[in-house]
Amino acid sequence: MRSAVGTNGYRYVVLSIAALVPSPPILVPELVGAASRAPGADPDDPPAVLRAAVSAAGATLAGAARHWTVLGSGDADQVFGPDARGTFRGYGLDVRVGLSADAADAIADSGARPDPQLPLSVLIAGWLRGQVGPDISVRARVLAADTSAERCARAGADLRAELDATDEPHAVLVVADGAATLSLKAPGYLDDRAQGCQRALDLALDAGDRAALLALDPDLCAELSIAGRPAYQAMAGLFAADSADPSVDTLYRDAPYGVGYHVSLWRPGGAG
């Protein structure tokens, strides 16, 4: 994907699309109850609805590019290449994924040991790759939970500059969760401040509002268990060079388990 300036002075932006998905392990059918996986299962079952939206977003990315870069958040800054292999064993079952066909084949053919500590955002990216495009190659950048807003934005901007300097089609997958404190049964329990903050976050994501995302307060997000805050702000940085906020197509927005989930497709705004 490349950015160029035409003879008429317009800046042509070749970055065509990015996708935002959440990271709940319930996306993986093997990790949910048998009833949700059986033929004829209720299509309105929350995991099935969410999974369909995520799969649709992934399929759109797969149609745009064979190479993906993932932006996620986790306990520490980490980078993973296409050879990375992981397992969902820590989430209940040894479902193995790879970030490329070669990595997946190594697991299947040689029994190569997967990394049991692969961050959840990277595991979800590997699972989605396997579902929508087995030939896709993925690399991942994980930002530490305490990364400043400025550094997150810079990570996104640097990625955009890197990708715009290449000729090969490339897509970006952002894996991030909203507040995990939206109900009594939420992983972070109920925080009365969470509903308003999640509503504002959803509006910002629906609108592709870069300024609103960059204004997210890291301390408040930590208190409300908005684990995706670094990735959201890196996504804002990814589109920072454009003259207008990105165009967003929201495929899913809900909090069925007391955690805010958002699935959307983002395209650059203000392109010549």
Side-chain angles (χ1 to χ4, degrees):
M1 146 172 73
R2 182 172 59 187
S3 174
V5 178
T7 56
N8 57 6
Y10 283 107
R11 180 175 182 271
Y12 294 91
V13 181
V14 186
L15 166 60
S16 61
I17 195 165
L20 169 65
V21 303
S23 65
I26 59 167
L27 286 173
V28 182
E30 293 88 341
L31 301 181
V32 299
S36 295
R37 293 184 280 112
D42 183 1
D44 294 325
D45 184 50
V49 174
L50 176 58
R51 190 179 303 122
V54 170
S55 295
T60 301
L61 280 197
R66 289 186 58 254
H67 296 276
W68 296 359
T69 295
V70 173
L71 291 172
S73 53
D75 294 334
D77 280 349
Q78 293 176 283
V79 176
F80 299 91
D83 59 339
R85 304 177 294 270
T87 173
F88 283 93
R89 186 171 59 216
Y91 299 92
L93 200 63
D94 188 19
V95 179
R96 301 183 176 192
V97 299
L99 295 193
S100 65
D102 287 344
D105 289 345
I107 294 174
D109 297 340
S110 65
R113 180 174 297 180
D115 180 358
Q117 302 300 322
L118 210 64
L120 181 56
S121 59
V122 183
L123 287 172
I124 289 296
W127 170 81
L128 185 58
R129 179 208 67 82
Q131 298 300 302
V132 302
D135 63 334
I136 288 169
S137 177
V138 177
R139 57 176 181 156
R141 168 76 187 275
V142 176
L143 296 165
D146 60 355
T147 305
S148 69
E150 292 77 14
R151 283 192 58 215
C152 292
R154 175 49 55 191
D158 287 347
L159 173 61
R160 176 66 177 270
E162 176 189 340
L163 299 183
D164 280 352
T166 69
D167 293 311
E168 197 165 11
H170 206 111
V172 176
L173 177 66
V174 180
V175 184
D177 295 347
T181 49
L182 294 169
S183 73
L184 293 174
K185 294 184 178 180
Y189 196 64
L190 176 66
D191 189 308
D192 292 336
R193 301 170 295 173
Q195 289 285 352
C197 289
Q198 183 64 43
R199 188 177 305 112
L201 174 58
D202 284 335
L203 289 173
L205 293 172
D206 284 343
D209 189 335
R210 297 168 292 182
L213 294 175
L214 291 175
L216 291 172
D217 184 327
D219 292 333
L220 179 60
C221 287
E223 293 172 11
L224 299 180
S225 298
I226 302 179
R229 190 272 308 171
Y232 293 138
Q233 292 181 323
M235 182 166 59
L238 184 71
F239 292 93
D242 300 321
S243 61
D245 284 334
S247 170
V248 178
D249 181 11
T250 298
L251 306 182
Y252 180 98
R253 185 182 72 181
D254 205 352
Y257 304 102
V259 183
Y261 298 144
H262 201 282
V263 181
S264 50
L265 295 168
W266 293 52
R267 296 175 176 87

